[in-house]
Amino acid sequence: MTDTYLNLVNSGLTKEMAKKLGLPRPAELRRTDPGAVDQPLIPGPVLVLGSGRADTAADSVANTLLSWDLDVHRTLPNRTIGAIVVTLTDITHPEQVSERVLEVGAALRSLAPSARVITISRPAAEAADPAVAAARHGVDGFGRSLAKELRAGATGNGIVLSEGVTPDSPSATGALRFLLSARSAFVSGQFVNVTTPDGEAPGDWTRPLAGRVAVVTGAARGIGASIARTLHRDGAQVIGVDVPAAGEQLAQVMNEVHGTALQLDITGADAAQRVIDLARSRHGRLDAVVHNAGILRDKLLANMTAEKWDAVMAVNIAAQLRINDALLSAEELAPEGLRLVSLASTSGIAGNRGQTNYGYSKAAVIGMTRALAPRIAEQGGTANAVAPGFIETEMTAKIPPVPRQIARRANSLQQGGQPVDVAEAIAFLLSPQAGGINGEVLRVCGQNLVGQ
Amino acid sequence: MASTPPSNGTASTSPQRAAVIGANRIPFGKAGGAYASASNLDMLTAALSGLVARFGLQGERVGDVSAGAVLKHSRDFNLTREALLGSGLDPHTPGFDVQRACGTSVETVTAIANKIALGQIESGIAGGVDSTSDAPIVVSDRLRKTLLRLSRAKTAGQRLSLLSTLRPADLAPVAPNVNEPRTGLSMGEHQAITTRQWGITREAQDEVALNSHHNLARAYDDGLFDTLVTPYRGLVRDEALRADTSLEKLAKLKPVFGKDAPDASITAGNATPLSDGAATVLLGTDEWAAQRGLPVLAHVVDAESAAVDFARGEEGLLMAGAYAVPRLLARQGLRLDDFAFVEIHEAFASTVLTTMAAWADEDFCTRKLGMPALGEVDRSRLNVAGSSLAAGHPFAATGARIVGTLATLLHERKKADGGDASSAPVRGLISVCAAGGQAVAMILEA
């Protein structure tokens, strides 16, 4: 699961050779130090750009950043900077943006490794005026293109605030902090929509899930084990679920995170009830469920068997639908509102040869999540999906070497992500500061070249 | 006035029945199989770690932990304490070792349950482990004594002269065996004698073996063991389990014990295989369980041990269960019909059959127990989730396996009957024979 190429081009003699040969040199990404979470939040001062003194959005962002003890500048300081945040919430015509984007451009050469560029804008869909919509939607192409220009592990992302959502609303600041921090190491070229002013700042930003109880399916290994560890790091009590055959690894992971192991086949008719009963009796509540369990049965459709197709549907989508139904009708389960996150996949967005079954199931997860969002919002909860791209796991380690190398390099960060990168995005979506983010599909793919 | 409670001013402190909260074991391996390179410490630690994970006991200080092994290395002098230190429990948790041959972990359950009942502890873990693959090998007395002197020797000359006294024959290890020291007979040879005495047929034994495999396989398929077993070293189910065995296949096996007699009937199919494995049970007061949101599967009602004079041939080696159970039932005022489930450890299929035959035999019961016969065991209540013939029998682990399984069966029956705490109790009976002519019996109740 180690990326040998990445190690070679970043160390010793081979690093010098790679430089001379002009080989692509994926950077080692800055990630959260579990011993010093969010310290430092970003690798240098932050430059906040807006339309000038009158831009209240930029002021608001600057104040938020100052409250996190960051070194905030409104003009480019004469040193390396950790992030650029540019507010574009006020634009009404495409001709308005040149001054600000060129200012961003002038600052790019000052970015530190693993720096961040973040745009804050409004959704085009909410604009009736074609000029306003054009100005707003332009940010989409600008941001995704800029993210592809960034080097040395830097990422570019955007936050899109619906009408009525101010830059100081909980989920706007929550998203800003997530995208600035090392938690979003493998998220690039993405836009996070904040549609409501719901949610609240956590008591402690480094332990936002303190006091919450979370169920993670497929928790025995890979991304699931990483999710369990990350949720535990953020303060959650974890109930780990996996099939009985994976019980040994599940027990190890649960003992590591002081959680509870539940050996359970999620496709069973009583699966949801057993999860709910355990959470109720052991903790008296259930705040979050991460539908991570999933299987692959890859075959070209011409060779697909009913067994392979049906197995993927049963685990990847049917079990989730059944469990969600039970969760939504369980009374007084989640005092703060239930948070759901499902694992989608870039295969469900862009498609992948040999994965018609997997692609169907993962696209189905996206469909389910969007339909669930308004329903669960009525109960004060959220439903979101995270779509990983190429992540270094036991599963992807089985891909033959050449396709694996290609898959790794086919994104803006030129490397595979780590399971913890997916886990970080999930932890964010489950946190109190993400209460205004609902029905989203957040990609964790290093800006994979396929799909959006 | 007879109904007036005593009022001598002292509070009555009637013992509180200990609750069986849950259990965890690793699948049992065959000797030289999946756990060939695992030690007793490895396996007991794994079984405990799985229990800790299942019940979220990480960092928890449990009142006491008792476990043990029958085949024990001298290095494992503090086996239970060492295992719990690697299990994730609070390192301030104490632990002690117990050994009563195959009855070891019924005995540890009894010990922990008694401490709980007396209010000495609120919670505890009982268990057992055995490895026949990693069995201790004993060296000759001359070699052992020489090695001990060698360790005390001060000079190279002393060491050399000590070594020069050794002869090649001294180096041959003394093969481990589980023969009875007083008779020199193996358990199988003993049981062959008992089997013939009671006229137990080969067919009846093979039928018990067949049921054991089929019942265990079905219990796995039904998910009974999802809450009782945590896989270990790639083993997901018991290695000895043969779901596809049949009477025809069992009938083809040659006898392995009592072969001198023409009607020898004990085969590898109806005798338990040598096994490796570990099992644990979590016990506590009802309050301790409730405070943690943990279930109460059943309660430990009572336990009894017995021994027979097998050395002088007055009784079969593995027949002490025929004594322990009637005494236990008499004390509790219960009959066989009062039990929804009966677990008789299948050391051999014929052990189960001879034990039941003795319970039903008027002559045996009046003459040897001085009480009327217990009657027939309803076979539909016997070892319904399989037992040692199919699961394997790592000696000290078997009792905890049976207690965990039986408590779960009782809990599920109670639930299925729609019963609550106040409704009629659902009872289970355990009888486990042990080397040295011993046996332990226990009653659980949900």
Side-chain angles (χ1 to χ4, degrees), chain A residues 63-402:
Chain A
N63 283 332
T64 299
L65 299 174
L66 283 168
S67 74
W68 294 335
D69 291 331
L70 294 179
D71 182 6
V72 181
H73 295 257
R74 301 300 292 269
T75 56
L76 182 62
N78 189 19
R79 56 194 157 109
T80 304
I81 56 172
I84 305 167
V85 181
V86 54
T87 60
L88 296 159
T89 48
D90 56 334
I91 52 175
T92 52
H93 197 281
E95 287 178 335
Q96 271 178 317
V97 301
S98 71
E99 193 182 336
R100 264 176 275 180
V101 299
L102 293 175
E103 223 178 324
V104 172
L108 290 180
R109 286 181 205 286
S110 305
L111 287 180
S114 290
R116 301 283 185 257
V117 180
I118 296 165
T119 61
I120 299 177
S121 58
R122 296 281 182 197
E126 291 179 8
D129 183 341
V132 175
R136 290 179 175 183
H137 201 59
V139 177
D140 191 275
F142 165 75
R144 293 187 204 273
S145 302
L146 170 59
K148 292 186 177 180
E149 290 183 15
L150 297 174
R151 291 287 171 266
T155 63
N157 292 290
I159 300 168
V160 182
L161 306 177
S162 290
E163 296 302 332
V165 179
T166 56
D168 63 352
S169 74
S171 294
T173 56
L176 179 63
R177 191 176 165 106
F178 169 70
L179 291 173
L180 281 174
S181 72
R183 294 170 188 253
S184 62
F186 201 59
V187 178
S188 194
Q190 304 306 309
F191 288 86
V192 176
N193 294 292
V194 181
T195 50
T196 74
D198 293 343
E200 57 181 310
D204 176 354
W205 282 98
T206 66
R207 286 177 63 80
L209 296 173
R212 306 263 168 135
V213 178
V215 166
V216 181
T217 67
R221 60 194 134 206
I223 291 174
S226 230
I227 295 168
R229 291 187 188 106
T230 305
L231 299 188
H232 170 66
R233 184 203 68 195
D234 280 1
Q237 298 264 5
V238 179
I239 295 172
V241 176
D242 216 310
V243 289
E248 183 178 5
Q249 296 94 326
L250 180 68
Q252 278 167 5
V253 174
M254 287 305 109
N255 280 345
E256 187 188 324
V257 306
H258 286 220
T260 306
L262 177 58
Q263 294 182 179
L264 176 71
D265 179 350
I266 55 164
T267 63
D270 64 341
Q273 202 51 50
R274 284 183 56 192
V275 167
I276 292 169
D277 288 349
L278 178 63
R280 270 199 214 276
S281 66
R282 209 62 63 80
H283 304 288
R285 61 193 289 169
L286 175 55
D287 302 284
V289 175
V290 183
H291 291 295
N292 164 72
I295 58 169
L296 284 176
R297 295 287 183 271
D298 292 2
K299 272 283 177 234
L300 293 176
L301 186 60
N303 305 325
M304 185 68 69
T305 62
E307 196 182 44
K308 286 186 164 43
W309 180 277
D310 293 344
V312 168
M313 294 315 137
V315 176
N316 293 11
I317 181 68
Q320 290 193 26
L321 286 164
R322 204 162 38 238
I323 291 172
N324 287 345
D325 271 348
L327 291 170
L328 287 181
S329 49
E331 278 171 24
E332 291 169 22
L333 190 62
E336 322 275 344
L338 187 67
R339 297 292 181 84
L340 301 180
V341 175
S342 291
L343 269 284
S345 165
T346 48
S347 294
I349 296 171
N352 203 8
R353 188 181 142 86
Q355 291 196 323
T356 49
N357 51 356
Y358 189 74
Y360 183 102
S361 72
K362 291 301 185 180
V365 162
I366 295 172
M368 172 193 74
T369 301
R370 288 181 178 147
L372 211 49
R375 267 189 69 195
I376 200 166
E378 289 169 17
Q379 303 180 3
T382 65
N384 291 288
V386 166
F390 183 90
I391 305 295
E392 305 281 358
T393 63
E394 277 175 51
M395 194 174 85
T396 56
K398 288 180 189 141
I399 300 173
V402 172

Side-chain angles (χ1 to χ4, degrees), chain B residues 413-437:
Chain B
R413 173 63 63 85
K414 181 100 170 176
K415 233 175 22 181
D417 290 351
D420 53 31
S422 60
S423 62
V426 184
R427 296 192 189 90
L429 176 66
I430 298 171
S431 172
V432 177
C433 58

Side-chain angles (χ1 to χ4, degrees), chain B residues 23 87 96 106 111 126 183 195 216 226 318 328 372 444:
Chain B
S87 70
F96 64 102
V106 174
T183 60
T195 305
L216 185 70
D226 289 1
L318 302 180
L328 182 59
L444 298 182

Side-chain angles (χ1 to χ4, degrees), chain B residues 135-213:
Chain B
I137 285 181
V138 179
V139 299
S140 70
D141 260 5
R142 273 176 58 90
L143 176 58
R144 191 171 58 83
K145 284 178 180 154
T146 309
L147 289 173
L148 287 170
R149 282 192 207 111
L150 206 59
S151 69
R152 292 190 291 264
K154 300 235 165 16
T155 67
Q158 283 174 343
R159 287 191 192 100
L160 254 178
S161 79
L162 275 169
L163 284 172
S164 68
T165 64
L166 284 175
R167 299 286 169 266
D170 299 337
L171 302 179
V174 179
N177 72 61
V178 286
N179 291 356
E180 286 297 326
R182 286 178 186 278
T183 60
L185 291 181
S186 71
M187 238 174 229
E189 294 299 335
H190 269 288
Q191 185 58 36
I193 297 166
T194 315
T195 305
R196 202 170 307 119
Q197 280 172 354
W198 285 92
I200 305 294
T201 66
R202 166 79 183 263
E203 291 68 33
Q205 294 175 52
D206 284 352
E207 193 192 344
V208 168
L210 182 77
N211 285 339
S212 190
H213 285 279

